[in-house]
Amino acid sequence: MKKIAVFPGSFDPFTNGHTDIVLRSLEVFEEVVVAVLGNSQKQALFSVEERKVMIAEIFKDQPRVKVDSFTGLLVDYCAKVGASNIVRGLRATSDFDYEAQMALMNQKLANNIDTFFLMAREQNSYISSTLVKQVAPLGGDVSMLVSQVVVDKFKVKLGK
Ligand code: ADP
């Protein structure tokens, strides 16, 4: 059976930190489904569809990466796509509490689905979607934080 992992997140927008997590998880899993969370509590800048299009463009040369969106329980979505693992990235210790709580909750909901953590690379550990969304509208250069497709989409969105 194919070993499939789901990498879920808001990805508003997808950053170089996220890209690195996907590429590294491809060394462990045969297929990685990047799943954009549709029912996020967070106010989004980019629509789910816009985010999916950008992510698909980033991985257009990676046939083992699929892009999708989901609403509802993550473990239900994992079961639907046949994934045995959830992939998450950990930056500073500040990510840990929230991630541990979610991983334990998901373990309670479905003990056959395990969370797989990858430590962010040092050079990416300060990158967050929030930071990108703060800097880009003020005219700051975010091209070292996100892919060109995201830079271009920002220009359209901000009319710059
Ligand atoms: P969420 O709203 O689910 O936290 P995010 O898009 O912020 O969605 O993050 C998705 C996942 O990617 C999380 O596991 C997060 O810790 C991880 N992540 C975010 N930024 C980075 C980064 N710079 N390097 C590695 N992992 C990251």
Side-chain angles (χ1 to χ4, degrees):
M1 225 175 61
K2 215 194 307 186
K3 212 160 164 53
I4 302 172
V6 168
F7 181 38
S10 310
F11 308 131
D12 185 41
F14 207 80
T15 69
N16 290 344
H18 296 132
T19 302
D20 183 58
I21 296 294
V22 172
L23 296 178
R24 285 160 65 201
S25 52
L26 281 176
E27 289 173 23
V28 179
F29 301 100
E30 288 165 84
E31 185 178 305
V32 175
V33 184
V34 181
V36 180
L37 180 63
N39 55 346
S40 173
Q41 314 276 322
K42 296 181 188 172
Q43 179 69 36
L45 177 64
F46 295 101
S47 72
V48 169
E49 211 40 52
E50 286 175 319
R51 283 177 262 167
K52 278 172 66 177
V53 169
M54 286 186 274
I55 300 166
E57 174 66 23
I58 293 166
F59 296 108
K60 64 176 192 298
D61 298 324
Q62 296 283 351
R64 292 192 292 127
V65 177
K66 308 280 182 248
V67 184
D68 195 7
S69 58
F70 74 104
T71 52
L73 278 182
L74 175 59
V75 289
D76 290 343
Y77 176 74
C78 288
K80 193 182 109 188
V81 298
S84 55
N85 290 81
I86 296 163
V87 168
R88 296 287 287 177
L90 284 176
R91 283 162 294 183
T93 50
S94 53
D95 277 339
F96 182 80
D97 286 347
Y98 174 67
E99 293 293 338
Q101 198 179 19
M102 273 215 311
L104 292 171
M105 185 70 225
N106 284 328
Q107 217 172 72
K108 282 262 184 289
L109 292 170
N111 66 4
N112 57 331
I113 297 170
D114 218 352
T115 306
F116 185 90
F117 290 105
L118 279 162
M119 200 68 211
R121 279 193 204 284
E122 193 189 359
Q123 67 266 32
N124 293 332
S125 61
Y126 73 101
I127 306 176
S128 70
S129 301
T130 306
L131 186 70
V132 172
K133 280 186 287 191
Q134 282 168 350
V135 172
L138 300 174
D141 180 13
V142 292
S143 61
M144 65 296 201
L145 310 178
V146 296
S147 300
Q148 189 58 41
V149 59
V150 178
V151 173
D152 294 343
K153 199 85 187 168
F154 259 115
K155 285 190 186 140
V156 174
K157 177 117 330 210
L158 303 169
K160 286 179 184 164

